[in-house]
Amino acid sequence: MDAKTTSRYREIYAQWQRDPEGFWAEAAKEIDWFEPAAKVFDPGQGIYGRWFTGALCNTCWNALDRHVAADRGDQAALIYDSPVTGITASYSYSEMLYEVATLAAVLADFGVKKGDRVILYMPMVPEAVFAMLACARIGAVHSVVFGGFAAKELAKRIDDARPRLILSASCGIEPGRIVKYKPLLDEAITLSDFKPEACLILQRPQERAAMNEGRDHDWAGLRDAAMADRKLADCVPVLATDPLYILYTSGTTGLPKGVVRDNGGHMVALKWSMENLYGVKPGEIWWCASDIGWVVGHSYIVYAPLLHGATSVMYEGKPVGTPDAGAFWRVVSQHKAVALFTAPTAFRAIKKEDPDAKLLSKYDLSTFRTLFLAGERADPPTVQWAEEKLNVPVVDHWWQTETGWCIAGNPVGLGMLPVKHGSATVPMPGYEIDIVDESCNKLPAGTIGSIVVKLPLPPGCFPTLWQQDERFRESYTAEFPGYYKTADAGYRDADGYVFVMGRTDDIINVAGHRLSTGGMEEVLASHSDVAECAVIGVNDALKGEVPCGFVVLKAGVTRDHAEIEKEIVALVREKIGPVAAFKLAITVPRLPKTRSGKILRGTMKKIADGEQWTMPATIDDPVILDEIGTALKGKGVGG
Ligand code: COA
Ligand code: AMP
């Protein structure tokens, strides 16, 4: 690490190491508590201990009410910018509070109370943010399901979360097509064993959904009626350790993991991060170009900027095609954003369309200070391109749905450390990272191994999986005792910089979206002509990785292979959703396996990516790998 750096990082990290509880107790002073914590950290509660036990608080209060009380009421809380509908709208903190307290009253009228779950299956519209905060206001637990997931995935989440209500909209809007949400919602409720009591449907002008008599209710009608009756719900005090939300993320099987976020630790960590990691001040304009269906959207479109009293830009559009590769520059310039947080894939898309960034010259980006990238590995050429074109620091930082905020990053607010391309920089306070081998021995600098985090995890990280403590233990703490297993592989260099290289499990990262190849294999295997299958992630210049499925057909299947492959592609879209970006199924005579019957997915990936590979000593029949290579020819993958 550069000795000349003026960053306060080392001092702050050391301060945390010396006294973790004191560090977080100090950070907690930035939050309003109805009752202070009995203990900053109680190692006796939960699986690895719990933060701020005994404290009473409300996340919505801290995101809205207290800012209005502190004279921030007229400041914009949310700017909605939607090139797909042509709408731009701004909501002040006071207006937001009014919308949220009204919607919270509507939810309460349906009997929703503290601890009840509410599923949100929503496009990127302000009402989705109002709904998240309305749940937080009354202590209900929201679970947002990304709009690109199909009915079956939604049904799995309904069965697991058992929501009293589902909030949805008539449609989402993708470039060139309207995605009708309501038929997907109806199908999901038909498929699920658990049935919600009611659904609130936001009718968008682009598509009017048919309503189910008795079950479905018109969102706008209920809002207007509640406003006419002056119904407003107050904040309900909840324990800091009570759940704020459940967010499902891909596990190694088709059954998603319900990551639980609590109220107190989450607020403390996110508030700390806005100033110290992102270097943003209250009152400044911040833009996170993700989707509220992902953790990045939860934390940095909704909660962190609002807890901080900043203005959050919510963007319903794409980096390219809405209308062009200058869209991001337009939004930054129009709303005077000081920082943008997005996934590297978005920048790869822009770079592909406008390699010289000619469209930049149309916009004034003088307010813009920093670009933050996360969600997947930030490839050095993309980082370099962004640095050159934007002439601002580009900060890669690494985190996961489970952690809810950054594990390793470059703390802009504390003073930036020198950037090393390919590295997410250094651990944030709260995270002690080790690189270990399979036997949990620490590895020296420069050696790749499993990245693990010493328990306890800091505030903001998940305390457990929804009603699945045992799955939490098995998935995250069993393999490396005393540590949280990130399931990412990487190394640290001599300066302590962390390099995150990829997953150690069967999760792949497609355009910054985390997907399970195991889940896709379950779908492929359900096709009536498929005997066995394997799905791997292959390199893709735009999306980082894309899935590629290999299928062995049942003996006696004489149908055209191309037709079956097309059906398989359609089946994944139908069962998992378009977000899987599953476009390639390849029929092969057999799959390469070890003598004990394990499919050699790693070697298949190397072949597909055109990388060097060695013949595994345990292979059953080496010829099969040649067959895989032959089958991939002309498919335009990898390399
Ligand atoms: N509802 C319904 N469908 C959706 C959807 C939504 N909310 N979001 C995406 N989809 C669909 C897309 O239309 C696409 O469908 P198609 O197969 O018919 O083209 C499919 O899901 C795959 O979407 P995506 O992976 O986003 O690819 P894309 O080609 O539409 O766009 C990028 C490529 C790079 C522009 C885009 O992936 C992007 O902006 N990524 C940023 C990722 C991000 O923000 N990640 C969050 C973590 S920070
Ligand atoms: P998600 O839970 O969807 O946020 O995905 C988390 C996974 O994305 C991590 O486990 C990593 O594999 C990957 N990831 C996220 N950010 C980075 C990063 N900055 N560098 C490398 N990989 C990343």
Side-chain angles (χ1 to χ4, degrees):
M1 210 171 293
D2 188 346
K4 293 192 295 292
T5 180
T6 51
S7 174
R8 290 169 56 226
Y9 166 75
R10 272 171 184 272
E11 169 202 330
I12 298 294
Y13 190 79
Q15 201 178 312
W16 164 74
Q17 278 179 311
R18 271 194 307 274
D19 179 12
E21 288 181 32
F23 181 90
W24 291 117
E26 189 59 33
K29 289 184 183 158
E30 297 286 320
I31 297 299
D32 280 2
W33 305 91
F34 300 134
E35 275 298 326
K39 283 187 181 172
V40 175
F41 181 71
D42 184 348
Q45 284 198 32
I47 298 178
Y48 61 82
R50 297 299 305 264
W51 291 97
F52 305 108
T53 53
L56 284 174
C57 58
N58 185 280
T59 295
C60 182
W61 169 274
N62 278 282
L64 298 177
D65 302 60
R66 72 162 169 161
H67 299 311
V68 174
D71 275 348
R72 214 177 265 289
D74 293 338
Q75 181 199 309
L78 191 72
I79 295 172
Y80 166 60
D81 185 307
S82 169
V84 294
T85 59
I87 295 172
T88 305
S90 175
Y91 297 85
S92 68
Y93 270 97
S94 296
E95 287 165 339
M96 242 330 245
L97 176 55
Y98 184 43
E99 291 289 348
V100 169
T102 305
L103 182 57
V106 170
L107 301 185
D109 275 352
F110 277 96
V112 178
K113 54 185 185 333
K114 188 159 100 179
D116 286 344
R117 276 80 57 212
V118 175
I119 279 188
L120 275 55
Y121 185 57
M122 300 280 297
M124 284 284 286
V125 292
E127 286 80 358
V129 179
F130 303 161
M132 290 166 78
L133 291 165
C135 290
R137 193 170 186 82
I138 55 174
V141 181
H142 62 68
S143 186
V144 182
V145 179
F146 178 62
F149 281 120
K152 187 150 183 268
E153 288 294 319
L154 178 56
K156 286 181 196 169
R157 287 151 175 83
I158 295 173
D159 276 331
D160 197 64
R162 303 171 72 85
R164 179 163 264 210
L165 287 190
I166 298 184
L167 274 52
S168 188
S170 54
C171 66
I173 302 156
E174 284 293 289
R177 89 188 147 98
I178 302 282
V179 183
K180 295 181 185 174
Y181 278 20
K182 187 56 180 16
L184 295 171
L185 172 65
D186 290 342
E187 193 190 335
I189 295 175
T190 306
L191 289 171
S192 63
D193 293 328
F194 182 85
K195 311 290 176 194
E197 284 163 30
C199 299
L200 265 61
I201 308 296
L202 182 75
Q203 295 280 17
R204 301 187 78 185
Q206 294 77 10
E207 165 71 25
R208 278 202 81 76
M211 303 288 262
N212 286 29
E213 186 81 33
R215 191 198 71 195
D216 297 339
H217 302 263
D218 177 54
W219 184 314
L222 292 172
R223 168 192 175 271
D224 293 350
M227 281 185 178
D229 292 345
R230 295 175 195 283
K231 283 188 182 168
L232 296 167
D234 281 334
C235 290
V236 171
V238 296
L239 284 171
T241 46
D242 279 340
L244 169 69
Y245 68 76
I246 308 166
L247 180 58
Y248 289 89
T249 189
S250 299
T252 47
T253 65
L255 203 65
K257 289 171 165 167
V259 167
V260 173
R261 194 80 55 214
D262 69 7
N263 278 274
H266 178 243
M267 285 194 279
V268 172
L270 293 195
K271 173 79 174 111
W272 185 91
S273 73
M274 281 307 281
E275 188 101 32
N276 296 288
L277 170 59
Y278 297 102
V280 170
K281 300 256 173 285
E284 289 191 321
I285 294 135
W286 157 267
W287 178 25
C288 173
S290 177
D291 187 290
I292 46 136
W294 307 113
V295 69
V296 170
H298 277 61
S299 294
Y300 291 101
I301 296 173
V302 185
Y303 288 111
L306 298 179
L307 290 167
H308 197 48
T311 299
S312 180
V313 177
M314 178 182 208
Y315 178 67
E316 190 184 25
K318 300 269 174 180
V320 294
T322 57
D324 57 29
F328 273 25
W329 323 142
R330 196 267 304 158
V331 174
V332 168
S333 136
Q334 185 171 332
H335 304 302
K336 300 190 168 36
V338 298
L340 163 62
F341 177 172
T342 190
T345 188
F347 265 71
R348 288 197 296 270
I350 296 169
K351 183 170 104 179
K352 191 171 164 216
E353 293 242 324
D354 184 15
D356 298 320
K358 289 203 179 91
L359 292 167
L360 248 179
S361 62
K362 286 171 64 180
Y363 303 99
D364 171 10
L365 266 63
S366 53
T367 57
F368 190 53
R369 295 199 298 257
T370 331
L371 171 66
F372 293 93
L373 298 175
E376 56 172 327
R377 183 173 152 73
D379 53 296
T382 302
V383 175
Q384 204 168 337
W385 183 85
E387 282 171 342
E388 279 167 21
K389 302 300 175 207
L390 290 168
N391 207 18
V392 296
V394 176
V395 175
D396 175 19
H397 61 319
W398 166 56
W399 50 301
Q400 307 183 315
T401 305
E402 287 86 343
T403 65
W405 68 291
C406 173
I407 310 169
N410 199 334
V412 174
L414 298 177
M416 270 189 81
L417 297 166
V419 171
K420 292 193 193 186
H421 290 171
S423 170
T425 318
V426 289
M428 288 298 100
Y431 296 97
E432 188 178 327
I433 292 177
D434 278 317
I435 313 288
V436 297
D437 65 14
E438 312 85 73
S439 312
C440 207
N441 300 311
K442 287 188 199 178
L443 293 169
T447 309
I448 289 202
S450 292
I451 315 181
V452 292
V453 180
K454 257 267 173 62
L455 290 171
L457 291 170
C461 293
F462 70 148
T464 189
L465 294 173
W466 179 246
Q467 296 185 332
Q468 285 196 312
D469 286 357
E470 214 30 62
R471 191 175 181 196
F472 177 101
R473 285 195 186 91
E474 267 164 40
S475 309
Y476 301 108
T477 61
E479 195 170 337
F480 303 107
Y483 287 104
Y484 162 72
K485 170 185 163 182
T486 65
D488 275 313
Y491 66 95
R492 243 189 335 209
D493 73 5
D495 293 329
Y497 275 54
V498 180
F499 291 73
V500 183
M501 306 308 289
R503 299 281 302 192
T504 58
D505 54 12
D506 71 352
I507 301 287
I508 58 170
N509 200 312
V510 180
H513 306 141
R514 175 170 154 178
L515 297 162
S516 156
T517 53
M520 291 186 219
E521 287 178 2
E522 284 174 25
V523 176
L524 265 55
S526 73
H527 188 284
S528 56
D529 290 338
V530 172
E532 58 175 347
C533 63
V535 175
I536 56 171
V538 297
N539 288 346
D540 182 80
L542 176 65
K543 298 193 178 189
E545 272 182 312
V546 287
C548 170
F550 295 86
V551 289
V552 177
L553 302 181
K554 285 180 182 161
V557 173
T558 51
R559 295 173 57 214
D560 182 26
H561 290 182
E563 200 177 304
I564 297 172
E565 287 161 5
K566 238 198 224 158
E567 286 169 11
I568 288 169
V569 168
L571 197 63
V572 176
R573 195 176 172 93
E574 183 203 320
K575 300 285 182 206
I576 297 178
V579 66
F582 184 91
K583 309 258 155 123
L584 189 59
I586 303 175
T587 310
V588 288
R590 47 214 176 136
L591 292 171
K593 290 182 190 165
T594 61
R595 281 190 286 275
S596 60
K598 224 171 154 246
I599 297 172
L600 290 162
R601 293 183 180 79
T603 314
M604 289 166 77
K605 176 174 168 50
K606 285 201 173 123
I607 294 173
D609 288 342
E611 282 175 19
Q612 285 258 315
W613 57 277
T614 44
M615 185 66 68
T618 53
I619 192 159
D620 185 29
D621 182 353
V623 176
I624 305 177
L625 288 174
D626 294 337
E627 292 171 4
I628 294 293
T630 309
L632 279 162
K633 286 225 167 75
K635 300 288 182 186
V637 294

